[in-house]
Amino acid sequence: MIVISKKIISRPITPQIKGTSKPIIIPQHRDTISCMAYYHVEGILYTGSFDRTVKAWRINEKKCVDSFIAHGGNINDMVVNQQNGYLITCSSDGTVKMWLRVYGENSHALIRVLVFHAYPFHALAFSVAVSNKSFLYSGSTDGTINYWEQEISCRYTHGGFLQGHRFAVLSLVTIENIVISGSEDSTIRIWKREKGRGNIHECLAVLEGHRGPVRCLATFLQKDKFALSFLVYSASLDQTFKAWRVKLSPEVKKSPFGDDDDDREESKSQMEFETSPVLSPSWVKKKLQISRSLHKLV
């Protein structure tokens, strides 16, 4: 039998100080809470908001231990590097920032600002490689996925960007050397980071089925002796939730005499598959109208 315990907090927590009737006022966000991340080592829950602040909550003490203005725009996503405690946030102000809690204190210090373009960032994902290297992925409004490579010294260098989505990348998730992205163009793309090839990324598949922007993603690794198998869960603004089963078969070596007819036909069908996203006609019309309005303003 499985017992699930659920605790719902519907109002601010105001614990009492022993010996007094004065409550401890816990600072609340002034706007929508857009993202959360949990640091397991310290038991700290981070929340990011459209009020441009990040708050750190110590769960066992049920209180906010730090609050700071992190960006000049809405905070859209955040991740925590569980190996070193770095908090990474992204915002509509077009920046990705790295924060670290000051040793022995609760306050946080800005370590580095990662800027590659002026487009708003919507999603972040973190991937740890076997070689002790880690990769940070960020999805932006222009439809690209930028990635940075982190060395052991915690220094990040821009590695490049992944192109394929037509509109904004709204969600990202990683599993081993696989990156999964959900976009405003209603598609989900599966990317593979090739080992020993200069961190080259290849788009393996495009999942089509949603009729609206893909806002949330989650993945679960399945055991399979012969192939990498995992489940992908997606939620969209079309009000549907979908589950996808993905199995990556071992690579087949190409013929040294060049591609045969079957290979060319398979490549052709793959290209046709990738360039035909399923979009709601009314949503596309609205998107194009907004784009035309922005061009007129420029």
Side-chain angles (χ1 to χ4, degrees):
M1 181 178 68
I2 300 177
V3 179
I4 301 176
S5 175
K6 181 171 68 174
K7 183 178 181 181
I8 300 176
I9 300 175
S10 58
R11 61 181 183 275
I13 305 172
T14 54
Q16 302 288 329
I17 301 176
K18 289 184 178 181
T20 68
S21 59
K22 184 178 180 180
I24 300 174
I25 300 175
I26 296 181
Q28 305 294 309
H29 283 290
R30 298 179 181 178
D31 205 335
T32 302
I33 296 176
S34 54
C35 52
M36 297 188 298
Y38 186 68
Y39 183 31
H40 298 274
V41 178
E42 296 291 338
I44 295 178
L45 176 69
Y46 292 99
T47 55
S49 171
F50 286 173
D51 65 10
R52 307 178 182 183
T53 67
V54 169
K55 296 183 184 294
W57 308 80
R58 195 171 292 280
I59 300 301
N60 60 349
E61 299 176 10
K62 297 182 180 180
K63 70 177 183 179
C64 178
V65 295
D66 192 21
S67 177
F68 55 94
I69 298 175
H71 287 274
N74 295 347
I75 299 174
N76 295 321
D77 202 4
M78 58 172 56
V79 292
V80 175
N81 185 340
Q82 300 294 334
Q83 294 179 322
N84 51 32
Y86 278 80
L87 172 69
I88 305 169
T89 59
C90 73
S91 168
S92 296
D93 64 8
T95 63
V96 176
K97 295 185 178 182
M98 297 175 56
W99 309 84
L100 185 63
R101 190 166 64 89
V102 179
Y103 181 75
E105 300 180 14
N106 290 321
S107 59
H108 291 71
L110 177 62
I111 302 300
R112 191 176 180 187
V113 180
L114 304 177
V115 182
F116 188 73
H117 54 54
Y119 295 102
F121 288 101
H122 295 284
L124 292 172
F126 196 78
S127 176
V128 180
V130 180
S131 58
N132 292 327
K133 291 183 179 181
S134 58
F135 294 85
L136 174 66
Y137 297 89
S138 62
S140 56
T141 302
D142 64 345
T144 63
I145 303 171
N146 285 271
Y147 68 93
W148 288 267
E149 179 182 350
Q150 180 190 21
E151 302 291 344
I152 300 177
S153 60
C154 295
R155 179 183 177 183
Y156 277 90
T157 56
H158 188 263
F161 53 90
L162 314 181
Q163 289 182 307
H165 286 294
R166 297 171 60 188
F167 300 130
V169 177
L170 302 178
S171 51
L172 287 170
V173 68
T174 62
I175 183 169
E176 294 191 353
N177 63 328
I178 300 296
V179 182
I180 306 169
S181 57
S183 171
E184 192 179 11
D185 64 14
S186 83
T187 66
I188 301 167
R189 286 181 176 258
I190 299 177
W191 313 80
K192 182 180 180 182
R193 185 178 66 249
E194 298 292 344
K195 301 176 182 178
R197 292 179 55 188
N199 301 323
I200 295 176
H201 292 70
E202 178 185 3
C203 182
L204 301 180
V206 180
L207 308 182
E208 300 173 335
H210 284 294
R211 290 186 175 271
V214 180
R215 191 63 186 87
C216 301
L217 288 173
T219 184
F220 174 73
L221 183 65
Q222 293 184 309
K223 292 183 179 180
D224 194 314
K225 296 181 180 179
F226 306 102
L228 178 61
S229 178
F230 54 93
L231 293 174
V232 177
Y233 302 97
S234 60
S236 168
L237 297 188
D238 64 6
Q239 301 180 9
T240 64
F241 166 82
K242 296 182 183 294
W244 316 75
R245 188 183 303 276
V246 182
K247 181 177 290 187
L248 302 181
S249 301
E251 295 183 0
V252 179
K253 294 183 179 180
K254 295 183 179 181
S255 171
F257 303 102
D259 297 336
D260 54 23
D261 294 337
D262 293 338
D263 292 335
R264 283 194 294 270
E265 187 64 29
E266 181 180 355
S267 177
K268 181 179 178 181
S269 62
Q270 177 68 11
M271 289 300 293
E272 291 174 350
F273 177 74
E274 290 187 1
T275 56
S276 57
V278 180
L279 294 170
S280 170
S282 59
W283 181 83
V284 172
K285 182 178 179 181
K286 182 179 178 181
K287 182 70 178 179
L288 292 175
Q289 289 175 348
I290 295 174
S291 299
R292 293 191 189 101
S293 300
L294 291 175
H295 283 303
K296 289 181 180 179
L297 293 175
V298 175

